[in-house]
Amino acid sequence: DRHVGTVGRIILDPSTRTVSHVDVRKGTLFPEDRLIPIADIATATPQRVNLRREVGLDDLVPFRRAVLRTTR
């Protein structure tokens, strides 16, 4: 167990309006924000997000604002 970052954004899938990813802000371990797919989260509380054991930090993809789209 170790602190690797702070949740910055909750990402919604605009077609289903459900949470698809959580954004972890850049910090000491990451040079840029990273995305955690919801399927990779084992548990979550308001204070902590725990990844499934088989998910490594290298599996988290960089956050790219351009790949996100918005709908109204």
Side-chain angles (χ1 to χ4, degrees), residues 9-59:
R9 299 172 191 89
I10 303 298
I11 311 300
L12 299 177
D13 178 330
S15 63
T16 63
R17 297 183 184 239
T18 59
V19 176
S20 62
H21 294 78
V22 172
D23 169 47
V24 176
R25 295 285 172 115
K26 69 180 178 178
T28 56
L29 288 179
F30 303 124
E32 57 190 335
D33 291 5
R34 298 289 175 143
L35 286 177
I36 302 172
I38 288 301
D40 288 348
I41 295 176
T43 61
T45 69
Q47 295 82 25
R48 184 181 183 101
V49 173
N50 296 304
L51 300 178
R52 292 182 300 121
R53 287 194 180 268
E54 59 273 12
V55 177
L57 296 180
D58 292 334
D59 297 326

